[in-house]
Amino acid sequence: MSSLHVSTDKEKIVDFIVSTLGIQSKDAMISYEEPIITDTPVQSDILIQDPKWTYVIEVKKRVSIESFSYTALQKALIEKETSKKNYRFIIAATVIPQEIQLLAEKINVELVQLPHNLTIPQITDQYATKGKITAEKSWRVICRLLKEKRTSIRQLAVKEHVSYGLAHKVIQELLDSDIAIKNVNLIQIQDISPLFNVIAWERNTRKLQISEFWPPHQDFHSAAQELSDVGMKHGFELVCNSFTAAGLYTGYAMKHDEIHFYIDKEYIPFLLNTYTDKTGRIKAIVYLPDRDVSKSSKLIEGIRVTSPGQTLLDIAGMGYSGINLAKKMVEIFDRL
């Protein structure tokens, strides 16, 4: 476990808690959204370990019975799973009702009164997907599962640097939908078709299409290579996606009369003003990215393309027309 960079608001909260509890910060290790017991979705907002104590900390604007119950669950789990006595359970909040103070005394939970001028951010992203498996972090978990073929929830979380709670939530959705199966602690995809249906429903790639034009080229590769080069030379990211990227990854069902790519909205007028000649036989179809698509992009045959995971998401989001290509990608996903 290592100390993580956090926002200024979180740093101020942690500093206040550390000072209030008398923790020697130079000897402490701080982490966030940490599972309190391996292979459970129950986690802490903040976990601080010093040579003497492990502090399991929840941070709230106002402590409710529900949020207090979550700390009680943390305490019960740890006391059942370990014989160690060096845990302290903390709730830090700006508003602590009197009834909560009485309950805390009964089960030995410590309360830290935060000052009113501290801004309480959302500490955990455990439910940030809002139920969508196509959300960025959730989709990373699924792609890792496709790549590993058979692995544990814990390994998915570790390898994708997401919280165990988020990975558990995503996998549970796959299990509930009969997309994945579980054997002891190992998860694997059993039916890819319903996954593609969910993707097409949640994130229709065609809805991201914003423009189109005709480069003056007679073949796909020269047009795609020139557009990639233009983007690099002028300092903006032009990243081919969906049919274009998937075709280059698989060599299957390439659309040789179309180029599909992402570009930020501010650069579209430049391209439309540059490519005004409609004599070419290649149609360039422009999409507006809804996430960072350039970070893990690759260069294939001189053409900038989205990462394998992003490409699979895009092509599956094309619905029926992209199904066969998406299945081909899944077949070789562990080698991409």
Side-chain angles (χ1 to χ4, degrees):
M1 182 167 36
S2 62
S3 178
L4 302 178
H5 173 74
V6 291
S7 69
T8 301
D9 288 334
K10 290 181 186 179
E11 289 173 343
K12 289 178 180 178
I13 290 170
V14 171
D15 287 346
F16 185 87
I17 293 171
V18 165
S19 175
T20 300
L21 297 176
I23 301 171
Q24 297 300 311
S25 57
K26 64 181 178 65
D27 298 322
M29 295 291 290
I30 303 169
S31 62
Y32 301 85
E33 302 164 9
E34 188 77 14
I36 60 167
I37 296 291
T38 302
D39 292 339
T40 74
V42 180
Q43 60 187 42
S44 61
D45 285 342
I46 303 169
L47 200 70
I48 301 178
Q49 289 183 309
D50 67 13
K52 185 177 181 181
W53 296 100
T54 296
Y55 301 84
V56 181
I57 304 167
E58 293 295 297
V59 178
K60 305 296 176 188
K61 295 177 182 178
R62 179 185 183 276
V63 190
S64 65
I65 290 294
E66 289 77 15
S67 56
F68 182 82
S69 298
Y70 190 78
T71 295
L73 173 62
Q74 292 173 330
K75 192 170 187 293
L77 278 173
I78 287 179
E79 289 176 349
K80 181 176 177 59
E81 294 292 332
T82 179
S83 59
K84 295 179 181 178
K85 304 297 184 182
N86 62 334
Y87 282 86
R88 290 170 66 176
F89 297 88
I90 317 293
I91 301 177
T94 49
V95 176
I96 305 173
Q98 182 66 34
E99 61 268 24
I100 298 296
Q101 295 180 28
L102 297 174
L103 289 172
E105 291 173 5
K106 290 183 178 181
I107 66 169
N108 198 28
V109 168
E110 300 174 59
L111 301 173
V112 172
Q113 177 74 61
L114 297 176
H116 68 87
N117 58 351
L118 275 183
T119 302
I120 310 299
Q122 184 68 25
I123 296 290
T124 177
D125 68 350
Q126 183 175 355
Y127 300 106
T129 65
K130 299 180 180 179
K132 287 191 173 184
I133 62 173
T134 56
E136 192 166 0
K137 289 184 179 181
S138 298
W139 184 243
R140 277 169 39 201
V141 171
I142 294 172
C143 286
R144 175 58 62 177
L145 178 58
L146 289 170
K147 195 169 188 67
E148 301 293 330
K149 293 189 178 295
R150 196 163 178 259
T151 188
S152 68
I153 298 176
R154 180 67 176 172
Q155 282 301 304
L156 291 171
V158 169
K159 290 186 176 182
E160 288 305 317
H161 306 287
V162 300
S163 69
Y164 181 87
L166 185 143
H168 183 278
K169 182 176 184 291
V170 172
I171 295 304
Q172 191 59 55
E173 289 180 11
L174 299 186
L175 294 171
D176 291 344
S177 303
D178 296 322
I179 294 169
I181 55 174
K182 184 176 183 180
N183 184 5
V184 189
N185 287 325
L186 298 179
I187 311 297
Q188 67 184 76
I189 298 290
Q190 74 162 347
D191 190 354
I192 201 70
S193 294
L195 176 62
F196 291 157
N197 292 337
V198 173
I199 293 169
W201 175 260
E202 285 189 1
R203 186 181 180 274
N204 185 333
T205 308
R206 295 187 190 279
K207 289 185 177 180
L208 299 174
Q209 182 177 334
I210 193 170
S211 188
E212 59 183 43
F213 60 91
W214 285 262
H217 298 79
Q218 298 304 310
D219 69 277
F220 158 83
H221 276 92
S222 62
Q225 287 167 350
E226 178 174 303
L227 287 170
S228 291
D229 188 56
V230 166
M232 286 186 282
K233 285 181 176 177
H234 286 274
F236 59 82
E237 294 289 349
L238 188 152
V239 188
C240 291
N241 66 10
S242 60
F243 292 106
T244 301
L248 286 167
Y249 277 120
T250 65
Y252 174 83
M254 179 79 75
K255 279 184 173 287
H256 288 283
D257 59 347
E258 293 180 356
I259 303 169
H260 298 251
F261 63 86
Y262 284 117
I263 191 171
D264 287 340
K265 194 172 184 177
E266 63 184 294
Y267 302 111
I268 294 175
F270 165 72
L271 291 179
L272 295 181
N273 290 331
T274 302
Y275 295 101
T276 57
D277 185 357
K278 295 187 178 182
T279 60
R281 61 179 296 269
I282 308 299
K283 179 190 284 189
I285 302 175
V286 187
Y287 299 82
L288 194 63
D290 63 345
R291 61 195 70 194
D292 186 348
V293 296
S294 62
K295 185 177 180 180
S296 301
S297 62
K298 297 185 176 184
L299 202 62
I300 301 178
E301 299 177 20
I303 301 169
R304 179 67 58 186
V305 298
T306 49
S307 67
Q310 183 64 46
T311 301
L312 180 60
L313 181 65
D314 291 337
I315 198 65
M318 288 292 186
Y320 181 77
S321 63
I323 289 298
N324 289 336
L325 198 46
K327 288 181 178 178
K328 286 291 181 182
M329 281 206 71
V330 169
E331 289 176 8
I332 63 172
F333 202 77
D334 60 328
R335 303 195 299 273
L336 295 177

